[in-house]
Amino acid sequence: MLHALTPLAAVASGSLDHPGFFVETIWVPFALMVGAFALALFLGKRMPLKGPEFGTIAVFIALIWSIGAGAQWFMRPSVDIAEKSPQSIACISRGGQLPERLPALEHEAIGHAQAAHSAASVPSLPAADAPLPKQVPVANAPQCPEVHGDGHSMAAGPGSHTPPPTATGGEGSAAPTMHVRPYYEKEWPWWQVGDTQVMWGIHVDGYTLVMVFTVALISFCVHVFSLAYMRTDRRKTHYFASLALFTAGMFLMVVSSSALSLLFGWEIMGLTSFLLIGHWWEEYPNARAALKAFFTTRTGDVGLLVGLAILFFAAGRTFNIAQINQMAAAGLIHQGYLLPAAIALFIACIGKSAQFPLHTWLPDAMAGPTPASAIIHAATMVVAGVYMVGRLYPVFFRAFDIASHDAHGALFGVNPVAVIGAITVVAAAALAFVQDDIKKVLAYSTVSQLGYMVLALGVGAWTGGIFHLFTHAMFKALLFLCAGAIGDVVGHSFNMKTNMGGLRRLMPKTFAMFMVGTAALMGIFPFAGFWSKDEILLGAGKNGYLLISAVGFIGAMMTAAYMTRAVYYTFFGDYRGPTESHGHKVEPKDGGWEYMLALGTLSVMSVVAGIINAPFFGLQFAHYALGEAPVGAGAPEPPFNIVYALLSTVFVALGIGICAAYLVKGVGRGLSRKVAPAGALVTFLTKKYYLDDLYEKGVVHFIAHPLARAANSFNQGFLDGIVNGVASMVRSLSTSTYDKIDQGLVDGAVNGAGRGAKGLGGVFGGLATGRIQTYASLMFIGVAALGAFVVALVYTY
Amino acid sequence: MYLTQFVVLSAVLFCLGIYGIIARKNGVAVLMSIELILNAANINLVAFGALFKQVTGQVFSLFVIAVAAAEVGVGLAIILLIYRNRRTVNLSDSAEMKG
């Protein structure tokens, strides 16, 4: 009761933190899509269009919601963190001193009360077990030399709250400032085990809203596109239901405050990915591809479970992501727990985000409908792994010590995340060269770009990675939908060499939009990819990962090259496709309003999405998206560097030039035939590094046959033998019990008692003779005994 | 006078009477033995009455004689009926139980 009177309680109850209606109800898009899924499933067949209405309307409302939330978030006041140098940031990441003086975010009184509270008391957390590190009071945190840290007191428990605002830059007016909008979190109790309470809630910061907007926009474009693409499909209702469920899962994952509901959304997306890839499961390869995707991502999901379990216990029995992040950033989670957790979580990222070596499922996943490929395997689901790494960034930052190479440190820094990302970039780009199917080219391109995102996260360029996620979603979805539009009109095939060619004259609008997407993908100024890819390469270079940065440049060159190849085969030359199929005429032309609306929207985004993080525009995206996590981890934000920009443009031009020379002028044609190593390389690439063979014949075959047989014989022979042995032993035991104990002992006792009674009766029966004399004599004996008794009584008395 | 003699006499007669009930086969003899017992009790009563120079003993003895008479009547009636049914008064032969 008294708590309600103190200002601190007022903050803790969240009555003063109202970022806005759309922000506070950011779970509504998730609910909308779940409702659309249920309605489509149960009522879809009765609708006039057979199902898409629910999903399309719901996702449109979700899009409006996300725009509203984004606008409201934009108007949220932000706080400064004075930034002096990377050393200061590293100090912050090690849990710098919480300042005494706090700025007034809402009320002066609240700030002072909070400062007194935070400085005086130990932050409240559920007690950890003995082997885990105890919570240290914030007052003992190391003093950072020039800057006020941003070590927060931990979440105070259920209910919505806002973290205490961070310091103002008191000294150093010349230092650049970094604005951070404090995150908004609201939780409800989900269940309780013992004294551990698991919560379900929303955690909103710029990162969340960027993701929500991305998912909503791409999903909307895909829904619109699918209206036309899947118009005559055999299972249209189920397709739209799955699409709605997928969008719901992604929404859940990005807004969740609890790692458990993040896992929930993750799994929903895995399921719907399976459903959508295998949409035409009557054809066996599609079903196989769906299974392959599901199993491969499942292999990674084990890592997610293990990692979350480790973090749950290491962070003091909490699933709250913000809490885990703050603990990791402050160095309160022992490295012995943090490193295995980070490795396990990164394995999940490798599986879900198709990094090398678990990328093999993504190209096969192109067996699904193209709009589904656009949303799931280009823009949103595959970035779930990247999102998760970005969301839990302090964990990875501390575990892999990503900040250990600042601008003055080693040149060739490595850590698992960056290395895997770099390998993926190059390996997938190489594979994209030998594909004839345009969707497969785009799939490998996606894998390569995901490698860029993971690379960015691995070198500490968090903003770069997330920005690339945002822009990539736009232009990759655009590219996939263009491919869908093309494939729809050239005889339902995506083979560039046999079905396409010369389409720039036949489908001019689609060609234009495809070129916009390609330019964005290659990273040509001023399209979206230029800004985001540049930021990644710059981050890698400036943070001391020069080797990784070089790999990034080579990847950019290869990207330009294979996209040039794809564009050439698809749009240039003469039309090689069929003109007649199944009795009706095949005529490549631009699609209807659905196609144009979807493609147009994404084209516009591909152009402008990059500008919002351009330096002359004030790095708006970075300021918008930065939440607590990366700043707490101490990830610095590099400014724009013209050298890197020019260098990347040079590499891109090289890539285009080399490929164009090969294709148009025929330079180097036939090299793979004439030179044996080149031919071997082509074979190696065509066989996808023999990874598929390794997985299928090695791993899967081993599990399915020898291992299964061994398990079966173990089960039948050993385990069943034990069970049967126990059964026979029990049977013999019971038989002997029956014979000896029941029949012999117990019945013997019973019969003996009967015989005894009979004998006794016989004895007493002998008394009843029927002769009067016997009775009379007995009577007299009795009387005599009585008399003797009386006499004895009298005498003793 | 001497109480002891009379009480001993009573006891001897009593025992003879019991012997008679138990050991005699003839029903009438059994009845006679019963009478003997009753009269032994009478002698006891009279002897003690004479000891205390009261007439109470003799009065009670008269009661006993009356009862004895009634009881003999009933007993003889039973014996008579047994004789009518079995043509013998041998009590040993009248036992019908088979055990």
Side-chain angles (χ1 to χ4, degrees), chain A residues 668-727:
Chain A
R669 255 187 211 277
L671 197 67
S672 59
R673 279 191 297 274
K674 284 185 261 180
V675 180
L681 179 67
V682 171
T683 316
F684 191 56
L685 285 175
T686 319
K687 290 271 190 250
K688 296 175 262 186
Y689 308 122
Y690 296 103
L691 268 180
D692 267 346
D693 293 322
L694 173 70
Y695 290 152
E696 278 175 37
K697 297 196 181 57
V699 177
V700 175
H701 186 269
F702 171 69
I703 294 176
H705 299 287
L707 197 66
R709 270 202 296 271
N712 187 47
S713 68
F714 179 75
N715 191 39
Q716 296 296 108
F718 185 61
L719 293 176
D720 272 1
I722 292 180
V723 171
N724 291 342
V726 170

Side-chain angles (χ1 to χ4, degrees), chain A residues 274-634:
Chain A
F274 169 77
L275 291 174
L276 284 166
I277 297 174
H279 181 72
W280 295 310
W281 49 261
E282 286 89 355
E283 283 83 52
Y284 185 60
N286 300 339
R288 283 210 73 212
L291 281 172
K292 182 172 175 180
F294 199 58
F295 289 148
T296 315
T297 52
R298 217 62 184 128
T299 312
D301 288 353
V302 174
L304 186 62
L305 277 169
V306 168
L308 286 182
I310 296 176
L311 281 177
F312 174 71
F313 289 107
R317 293 181 175 270
T318 174
F319 279 118
N320 188 295
I321 294 177
Q323 216 158 317
I324 294 174
N325 280 345
Q326 284 161 352
M327 286 195 74
L332 294 169
I333 302 183
H334 192 262
Q335 186 74 358
Y337 295 105
L338 202 61
L339 188 60
I343 291 176
L345 288 170
F346 187 57
I347 291 176
C349 172
I350 294 177
K352 194 71 140 189
S353 290
Q355 301 296 300
F356 188 90
L358 289 177
H359 65 279
T360 50
W361 63 272
L362 192 50
D364 285 17
M366 297 299 116
T370 310
S373 298
I375 188 170
I376 295 183
H377 307 117
T380 41
M381 190 192 89
V382 288
V383 302
V386 177
Y387 169 79
M388 186 264 300
V389 173
R391 177 54 87 198
L392 287 167
Y393 198 55
V395 171
F396 296 94
F397 197 80
R398 300 307 301 264
F400 296 127
D401 210 9
I402 291 178
S404 69
H405 304 277
D406 55 18
H408 309 294
L411 292 178
F412 299 109
V414 286
N415 65 61
V417 179
V419 166
I420 297 239
I423 294 177
T424 308
V425 167
V426 176
L431 284 171
F433 276 109
V434 295
Q435 303 302 321
D436 292 333
D437 186 327
I438 192 172
K439 279 180 75 174
K440 289 229 164 59
V441 173
L442 293 174
Y444 281 111
S445 172
T446 307
V447 175
S448 183
Q449 297 302 309
L450 289 167
Y452 267 107
M453 294 176 217
V454 169
L455 186 153
L457 290 173
V459 300
W462 184 87
T463 324
I466 303 308
F467 188 44
H468 196 61
L469 194 158
F470 175 59
T471 55
H472 171 267
M474 304 296 163
F475 57 70
K476 194 46 70 66
L478 169 64
L479 287 171
F480 263 101
L481 291 181
C482 285
I486 295 170
D488 201 19
V489 293
V490 294
H492 291 285
S493 160
F494 295 96
N495 193 317
M496 296 185 291
K497 294 217 166 113
T498 62
N499 279 46
M500 302 189 195
L503 291 177
R504 85 186 136 112
R505 276 172 260 108
L506 296 168
M507 304 173 71
K509 293 204 203 103
T510 315
F511 169 66
M513 292 196 267
F514 194 91
M515 288 313 293
V516 167
T518 307
L521 173 56
M522 289 190 198
I524 296 176
F525 177 89
F527 293 94
F530 171 71
W531 305 102
S532 57
K533 197 176 289 189
D534 230 54
E535 202 168 326
I536 296 174
L537 297 171
L538 183 60
K542 284 289 180 232
N543 288 355
Y545 292 91
L546 277 186
L547 189 61
I548 306 283
S549 184
V551 171
F553 278 111
I554 294 174
M557 185 173 89
M558 293 170 79
T559 307
Y562 66 67
M563 282 316 291
T564 312
R565 173 181 177 269
V567 164
Y568 180 78
Y569 279 128
T570 308
F571 293 106
F572 289 83
D574 298 316
Y575 180 60
R576 294 180 289 274
T579 45
E580 192 264 355
S581 145
H582 301 298
H584 55 260
K585 198 159 170 300
V586 168
E587 191 188 329
K589 60 177 168 59
D590 286 321
W593 70 268
E594 297 96 345
Y595 287 6
M596 289 301 127
L597 174 65
L599 297 175
T601 315
L602 291 171
S603 306
V604 168
M605 287 306 294
S606 298
V607 175
V608 305
I611 312 276
I612 66 173
N613 207 35
F616 55 80
F617 208 53
L619 291 170
Q620 288 301 319
F621 180 89
H623 296 153
Y624 191 86
L626 273 177
E628 302 299 333
V631 178

Side-chain angles (χ1 to χ4, degrees), chain A residues 743-759:
Chain A
Q743 294 297 99
L745 218 62
V746 176
D747 272 2
V750 169
N751 293 346
R755 271 197 300 276
K758 193 171 166 188

Side-chain angles (χ1 to χ4, degrees), chain A residues 42 353 777:
Chain A
F42 293 117
S353 290
S777 50

